[in-house]
Amino acid sequence: MIKTYEANDIQVLEGLDAVRMRPGMYIGTTGLRGLHHLLWEIVDNGIDEAANGYASTIQVFLHRDNSVTVVDDGRGIPIGIHDTMKVPAVQVVFTQLHAGGKFNTEHYNYSGGLHGVGASVVNALSRWLEVEVHINGRKYWQRFESYEKDGKIHAGKPVTQLEDRGHTDFQGTKVTFLPDDRIFEDIQMRRDIISKRLKELAFLNKGIKLILVDESQEEIITNTFYYSGGLKDFVEYLNEDKSPIHPEVIYFEGEKDGIKSQIGIQYTDSYTESIFSYVNNIPTREGGMHETGFKTAVTKVLNDFIRKQNLYKGKNGGLTGEDFREGMTAVLSVKMHNVQFEGQTKTKLGNTEARSALESIVSENLQAYLEDIDNQQTLKVILEKAIKAAKVREAARKAKEITRKKNSLEGAPLVGKLASCTGRNPKTNELFLVEGDSAGGSAKQGRDRQFQAILPLRGKPLNVEKKRLDQVLANDEFRTIISALGTGIDEDFNINNLKYDKVIILADADQDGAHIRAILLTFFFRYMKELITEGHVYIGMAPLYKISKGSRVEYAYNDAELKAKVKEMGRGYSVQRYKGLGEMNPEQLWDTTMNPAKRSIVRVSIEDAAEAEKLVTILMGDKIDSRRQYITTYANFNKKDIFQEMGM
Ligand code: TTJ
């Protein structure tokens, strides 16, 4: 029953060779992202099989030789002879680029039987790949290899025919491959990246069990992800460190025009919205049509209700969408065909049919939810929160107007503590936000006043997480920062007015310092996000130790450096541990921390909005325990690490 495959070789191999010539076109990069993309292509096939109800468990194994295995317990890739290719279908799956050749890094094989899309790309970019299909009580096996011979590329070539290897009691598909080190910079997959994604997939696909077995290290580590509640569990997880204001996650699902949608919502006492959306299990970080439809429906249905019940009479009509999303944590998951991605990072859903589908699914379900007697208590707290948000928004608008007028009238008094620089070039000027008056004093004396401005911060700044914009604006410390930067804030923020290229936070290397840094970052994150995304915010790194021997003086920024320097100096040295920036005199501060030629500063970036939001919440929120745990973990931190950890 297994026929020859030579007839198809030429055409097939041409296709796969192209993948090796331009891997970027198929998997984006040949760095870590692209490497893991290989795994996701294979895992997706198992997820599809499970989403269609034919498989329940998907296992991923990381082996010592850097090869990876994916196993599902589905129906098994068909092994019958393919009509036109005249070889077993499973061989076609691994050697034939998807028809149309339009395959790219986006997944569009949403559960509809398009199995195997992308599997051939994985094969082409692997040194070798083996597939084992367990079907009808028998086990079938085939191996593929990529090699170069006489200067020619042979990508993903079958080196055996599909072999019958005897009896099996298992049903499913097992694929093992070794990423090709001639293609990828690094072929070692990372457990943390994989478990994060598998966890996400388990949330998005309720009832599917995803297991990661890392056999690559001394100790075998197994993680199992399974959520019977799906999106409900996802929302609960996102709210773990927040304080929900109603007990149950609100959950809707529905299908319209072939678009399947699931929505989970829960409000917390926080003042920000966190909406996470997905299309075919792919995160849509830039949002798009599904989010728009969702937001429109929520605003409209809740506003209608408020109007009919006469619950609030605002000045200009109803509440805004933002009022209804204050404190909202929501996850949307949409499954559909012919997905169009748009936006700067191609993570924005462009299909307009998704907007109308979500709008009608959410409207209908939310309307029914409102009418259900069991939901009245939840409804009450949600509407009260939205109405309060509207009132505060009005108050904040007034407060902002006052601030603006005040600023334009008085201007200078607000920036009284600021020691500005003499140079007037915003492209080279720097603003140091310094913890404490004494360090601030040293910084003022030690700086290069041509381009360095100093703003000392007294005590701990106001914790912005728990405050609204009007309260933030009423705080002198923050008003001073806002006026110094010149950009305005929130909706009024304009990066073109920024007076400094670098805003450098200088705080002590202790818990209070960490707290101050986190508060300042939260403030920028919430109200001046572009300042971070455009790369203007930095963390200054002051040394922890001074090592001297005779007239020779060295500084160490962490314990490892201290060890190394001490060793290098030999006998007769003395070590001083700085307890804070305030212990440094002006020259020392300039030498170690401020002089651009010598200092090391870390740029703050927002890597992953989800994790950043979560960590900011941990650090700032009122769940004291998780915050203490977090800060204690990093009590003796290396600053570089803490901010990478924070995703910032
Ligand atoms: C196709 O239609 C007939 C029944 O089997 C369907 C199928 O392809 N099932 C399938 C494919 N289950 N699992 C896979 C699969 C699993 C892995 C891990 C990797 C790949 C490439 C496919």
Side-chain angles (χ1 to χ4, degrees):
M1 63 146 241
I2 295 163
K3 297 190 185 158
T4 56
Y5 52 89
E6 283 91 324
N8 300 292
D9 265 2
I10 297 156
Q11 186 207 341
V12 168
L13 290 179
E14 251 177 25
L16 289 195
D17 291 349
V19 177
R20 277 180 86 85
M21 311 264 268
R22 286 205 208 103
M25 276 194 39
Y26 298 86
I27 54 161
T29 71
T30 53
L32 273 188
R33 249 191 114 84
L35 177 74
H36 290 86
H37 203 100
L38 298 186
L39 177 58
W40 310 139
E41 286 298 342
I42 300 299
V43 166
D44 279 354
N45 288 285
I47 296 277
D48 269 9
E49 188 71 355
N52 285 325
Y54 298 110
S56 65
T57 306
I58 293 143
Q59 292 171 278
V60 176
F61 296 84
L62 303 180
H63 305 294
R64 283 184 173 232
D65 65 353
N66 289 327
S67 66
V68 190
T69 297
V70 181
V71 186
D72 78 359
D73 55 354
R75 292 168 293 179
I77 307 178
I79 46 134
I81 300 300
H82 190 271
D83 281 350
T84 49
M85 307 303 295
K86 312 293 184 205
V87 296
V90 56
Q91 182 177 325
V92 176
V93 162
F94 285 99
T95 52
Q96 188 72 346
L97 269 182
H98 183 248
K102 272 196 300 194
F103 174 80
N104 60 23
T105 62
E106 303 310 343
H107 316 211
Y108 51 86
N109 51 333
Y110 138 63
S111 33
L114 272 174
H115 290 305
V117 173
S120 61
V121 170
V122 177
N123 185 24
L125 300 176
S126 297
R127 227 171 223 280
W128 55 261
L129 180 149
E130 294 177 357
V131 58
E132 222 176 81
V133 179
H134 296 244
I135 200 165
N136 303 330
R138 300 207 73 80
K139 176 163 89 182
Y140 299 88
W141 177 90
Q142 188 171 23
R143 179 177 166 100
F144 307 85
E145 286 178 15
S146 300
Y147 53 93
E148 279 154 33
K149 202 172 141 189
D150 306 329
K152 276 192 66 179
I153 296 171
H154 301 266
K157 196 169 162 60
V159 293
T160 70
Q161 297 193 354
L162 187 65
E163 292 172 12
D164 182 333
R165 291 199 154 180
H167 173 82
T168 180
D169 288 323
F170 182 72
Q171 168 121 358
T173 304
K174 174 170 162 183
V175 176
T176 304
F177 62 95
L178 177 68
D180 198 322
D181 59 2
R182 295 163 294 190
I183 303 277
F184 295 97
E185 294 152 29
D186 177 356
I187 60 163
Q188 186 175 46
M189 298 209 189
R190 305 294 146 97
R191 188 175 62 237
D192 54 341
I193 295 179
I194 299 169
S195 54
K196 196 173 159 196
R197 175 64 177 156
L198 293 186
K199 182 175 184 135
E200 184 175 52
L201 283 169
F203 279 132
L204 292 169
N205 300 277
K206 73 174 148 224
I208 302 182
K209 191 182 274 182
L210 293 153
I211 302 172
L212 172 60
V213 183
D214 183 356
E215 305 177 343
S216 66
Q217 312 293 315
E218 294 289 291
E219 183 193 4
I220 298 177
I221 297 175
T222 304
N223 294 304
T224 302
F225 305 103
Y226 167 85
Y227 299 103
S228 56
L231 285 201
K232 278 192 198 175
D233 292 339
F234 200 169
V235 172
E236 274 174 13
Y237 167 74
L238 291 169
N239 282 346
E240 218 168 66
D241 304 304
K242 302 188 181 185
S243 308
I245 56 172
H246 56 94
E248 299 282 327
V249 173
I250 302 168
Y251 176 78
F252 306 138
E253 61 182 27
E255 179 169 355
K256 182 140 194 291
D257 302 331
I259 300 176
K260 285 190 196 159
S261 306
Q262 295 176 279
I263 300 106
I265 309 168
Q266 189 181 39
Y267 286 82
T268 71
D269 68 356
S270 108
Y271 299 118
T272 49
E273 65 174 73
S274 347
I275 301 179
F276 300 100
S277 62
Y278 295 84
V279 175
N280 300 346
N281 296 328
I282 306 158
T284 33
R285 288 183 214 283
E286 295 172 279
M289 290 299 171
H290 50 344
E291 280 195 21
T292 306
F294 165 76
K295 289 176 182 173
T296 306
V298 170
T299 308
K300 188 167 180 311
V301 171
L302 294 183
N303 247 337
D304 282 353
F305 187 86
I306 286 177
R307 204 171 303 125
K308 280 200 196 111
Q309 308 277 323
N310 244 326
L311 296 176
Y312 178 69
K313 283 195 212 58
K315 274 215 195 88
N316 1 314
L319 283 68
T320 66
E322 276 158 27
D323 295 335
F324 289 114
R325 295 194 300 275
E326 195 185 276
M328 172 196 270
T329 301
V331 180
L332 318 183
S333 172
V334 171
K335 304 242 167 109
M336 63 184 292
H337 292 289
N338 305 319
V339 173
Q340 284 158 336
F341 287 105
E342 297 178 347
Q344 281 201 313
T345 55
K346 291 274 176 280
T347 57
K348 184 176 182 182
L349 180 63
N351 304 60
T352 51
E353 65 270 29
R355 183 179 56 205
S356 40
L358 264 289
E359 200 175 324
S360 81
I361 292 168
V362 175
S363 294
E364 279 164 31
N365 282 283
L366 187 54
Q367 190 59 45
Y369 185 93
L370 301 183
E371 288 162 10
D372 190 330
I373 185 90
D374 290 341
N375 301 328
Q376 295 313 302
Q377 184 52 32
T378 296
L379 181 61
K380 185 165 172 274
V381 294
I382 292 174
L383 294 181
E384 275 172 5
K385 176 147 173 102
I387 289 166
K388 204 164 166 200
K391 288 179 181 163
V392 170
R393 176 170 49 81
E394 269 302 303
R397 199 182 53 76
K398 281 183 196 140
K400 239 198 288 188
E401 246 164 44
I402 293 165
T403 311
R404 205 178 298 152
K405 280 185 195 143
K406 242 182 164 175
N407 276 347
S408 59
L409 285 177
E410 306 167 345
L414 264 186
V415 289
K417 292 201 299 168
L418 174 77
S420 47
C421 47
T422 52
R424 287 281 160 257
N425 184 359
K427 293 266 175 299
T428 53
N429 283 351
E430 302 178 341
L431 175 65
F432 284 84
L433 303 175
V434 186
E435 174 184 357
D437 278 337
S438 95
S442 293
K444 280 183 192 178
Q445 289 175 49
R447 68 180 168 147
D448 182 335
R449 63 178 60 240
Q450 174 67 25
F451 68 99
Q452 293 181 322
I454 310 293
L455 180 56
L457 300 174
R458 202 169 302 149
K460 262 188 212 175
L462 177 82
N463 186 349
V464 287
E465 164 77 10
K466 291 268 134 197
K467 299 287 180 283
R468 299 177 203 248
L469 187 54
D470 56 332
Q471 293 165 292
V472 171
L473 285 168
N475 175 274
D476 270 351
E477 221 81 23
F478 280 113
R479 294 224 317 216
T480 312
I481 295 173
I482 299 163
S483 333
L485 293 176
T487 52
I489 181 170
D490 208 32
E491 297 154 17
D492 296 337
F493 182 84
N494 184 352
I495 194 114
N496 297 323
N497 296 336
L498 181 62
K499 292 196 215 150
Y500 303 92
D501 180 63
K502 293 189 177 65
V503 178
I504 304 168
I505 301 171
L506 260 193
D508 290 340
D510 57 13
Q511 287 199 17
D512 275 354
H515 203 175
I516 287 170
R517 265 188 298 275
I519 289 172
L520 288 171
L521 288 183
T522 308
F523 169 72
F524 294 137
F525 180 75
R526 293 252 193 276
Y527 298 113
M528 301 185 167
K529 200 165 258 171
E530 261 185 283
L531 208 61
I532 298 180
T533 55
E534 297 293 310
H536 293 291
V537 182
Y538 296 80
I539 304 297
M541 309 246 287
L544 283 177
Y545 303 100
K546 177 182 170 189
I547 313 129
S548 14
K549 182 178 172 182
S551 61
R552 186 172 166 202
V553 176
E554 298 264 2
Y555 298 95
Y557 291 79
N558 54 45
D559 290 350
E561 254 180 45
L562 174 66
K563 252 193 187 156
K565 295 237 156 104
V566 158
K567 205 169 166 195
E568 189 198 311
M569 282 209 181
R571 291 167 175 283
Y573 62 86
S574 69
V575 175
Q576 180 192 353
R577 190 184 200 287
Y578 291 117
K579 283 186 217 75
L581 294 162
E583 291 182 4
M584 261 178 256
N585 65 35
E587 290 106 79
Q588 287 172 339
L589 199 57
W590 163 257
D591 261 1
T592 59
T593 314
M594 299 176 74
N595 179 357
K598 290 192 194 166
R599 72 186 179 198
S600 82
I601 55 178
V602 181
R603 179 182 268 167
V604 177
S605 72
I606 297 176
E607 287 299 332
D608 182 339
E611 287 300 305
E613 158 82 8
K614 211 167 146 56
L615 282 163
V616 162
T617 307
I618 293 175
L619 285 167
M620 297 295 130
D622 50 10
K623 292 286 175 73
I624 306 289
D625 285 345
S626 43
R627 179 167 74 229
R628 182 170 303 142
Q629 192 185 2
Y630 189 82
I631 291 182
T632 320
T633 315
Y634 289 93
N636 208 350
F637 61 91
N638 168 329
K639 286 171 204 166
K640 233 174 197 153
D641 288 341
I642 196 172
F643 292 106
Q644 269 159 11
E645 262 306 308
M646 288 177 73
M648 292 180 129

